[in-house]
Amino acid sequence: MEISTLATYHCLAFVWYFFVAYSIIYIKTEERPSEVFLYGGQWKYLTVLNLVLQAVFYGVSFLADALRLIKKLRCAKCIISSRDLLFSVLAFPLSTFVCISFWTLYSYNRELVYPRSLDRVIPFWLNHAMHTAVLPLALLEILALPHRYPAKRKGLILLGFVAFLYISWVLWIYSATGEWVYPLFALFSPPGLAAFFAGSLAVIVSFYNFGEFLNRMIWGQSKFCS
C-alpha cells in the first residue's frame, strides 16, 4: 500500500477512534446509570481503555506515515518501532479479546457485562463501535502493512505487565467500593477469580501469538517497513 494511502487510512482510523472514545467518555453525568458509572467512571472498563489505546496507536501510525512522506526517515524509524510495539503487544491482542470475550459473555448473559440499563445511554451503533468494529479494524491493519514483532520474551513480559496493572486497578476499585467492575466477577470465589484472571491472560497471550502468526503468514519473515 502506498504511503499516502496508508496515511489517509491511519488518519481516518485515528479520527474514528477519537470520536468513539469521546462519545463514551463524555456521556452526560445525569444520564449515567448509577449502578454502572461509580468509582473510576468509564476508566475502569477495559473496553474504554482499549478505545483510547487504539486512538493512540493510529495517531502514532499516522505520525510515522507523515514523517515518511516528508522524508524524515531517521525520525520515522523510531516512530515505526513504537507503532509496531504498540500494535503487536497491545492493540491487536486487546481488540481481539474485547470483541470475542464481550460477545461471548453477552450471548450467555448480558447482565454479567453489559446491563440493560446501558441501552438507555449508549446507542446501538456505539455499542458495536466499541465491541465489534475493533476486531475487523485490527485485522485490516495486519493486511495493510507488516509489523515487526519484538522478541517473544519481551512481548509477553510487556503484555503481562499491562494485564497486571489492569487487574490491580480492578482489585483496587473493589477494595474501595465493595463493587466489582463487572458483575461477572461477583460469581467467583477468590481462588476462582484468580483462575479466571489467569485464564483470561492465557487467552490474550493466544491472541498475541495469533497476531504474530497472521503477520508472518501474510508478510513473511523479512518484509518490514523501514
Side-chain angles (χ1 to χ4, degrees):
M1 190 179 291
E2 295 293 331
I3 298 176
S4 58
T5 305
L6 279 174
T8 301
Y9 154 63
H10 284 141
C11 181
L12 290 174
F14 167 74
V15 171
W16 166 251
Y17 273 116
F18 183 87
F19 169 70
V20 174
Y22 179 88
S23 298
I24 190 66
I25 289 171
Y26 289 99
I27 292 174
K28 294 179 181 179
T29 303
E30 62 270 18
E31 295 179 348
R32 302 175 185 177
S34 59
E35 72 273 18
V36 176
F37 296 103
L38 296 171
Y39 186 92
Q42 292 96 322
W43 300 109
K44 62 186 177 182
Y45 297 111
L46 186 61
T47 295
V48 176
L49 296 176
N50 180 57
L51 291 175
V52 175
L53 168 67
Q54 301 303 318
V56 170
F57 164 70
Y58 282 105
V60 170
S61 297
F62 174 67
L63 176 60
D65 298 334
L67 289 172
R68 293 174 70 196
L69 282 171
I70 62 176
K71 307 300 182 182
K72 299 289 186 179
L73 299 183
R74 182 174 299 179
C75 294
K77 187 174 181 180
C78 178
I79 300 300
I80 287 172
S81 296
S82 300
R83 177 202 70 190
D84 289 347
L85 189 66
L86 270 174
F87 180 76
S88 60
V89 175
L90 295 177
F92 182 83
L94 288 183
S95 289
T96 308
F97 180 78
V98 164
C99 180
I100 293 178
S101 63
F102 175 82
W103 288 112
T104 298
L105 292 169
Y106 186 98
S107 299
Y108 173 70
N109 182 355
R110 66 169 296 177
E111 295 298 322
L112 297 177
V113 290
Y114 195 81
R116 293 185 185 278
S117 57
L118 286 175
D119 290 341
R120 303 192 310 269
V121 181
I122 300 177
F124 179 79
W125 71 266
L126 185 53
N127 181 20
H128 283 283
M130 295 188 298
H131 298 115
T132 306
V134 291
L135 179 53
L137 283 174
L139 293 172
L140 179 60
E141 177 67 20
I142 285 185
L143 293 173
L145 74 162
H147 296 82
R148 186 180 297 276
Y149 272 66
K152 182 62 67 70
R153 178 183 174 85
K154 178 182 177 181
L156 293 181
I157 288 175
L158 288 174
L159 180 58
F161 178 70
V162 171
F164 171 78
L165 289 179
Y166 181 69
I167 291 172
S168 298
W169 175 226
V170 168
L171 295 176
W172 172 263
I173 291 173
Y174 178 74
S175 69
T177 67
E179 299 288 339
W180 287 110
V181 172
Y182 298 103
L184 170 69
F185 297 159
L187 301 178
F188 296 101
S189 64
L193 188 61
F196 177 82
F197 286 147
S200 297
L201 179 57
V203 171
I204 294 176
V205 168
S206 72
F207 291 148
Y208 170 91
N209 290 327
F210 179 62
E212 186 177 27
F213 168 78
L214 286 179
N215 188 72
R216 188 187 313 116
M217 289 295 294
I218 295 169
W219 298 103
Q221 294 281 8
S222 58
K223 185 178 180 182
F224 296 98
C225 294
S226 59

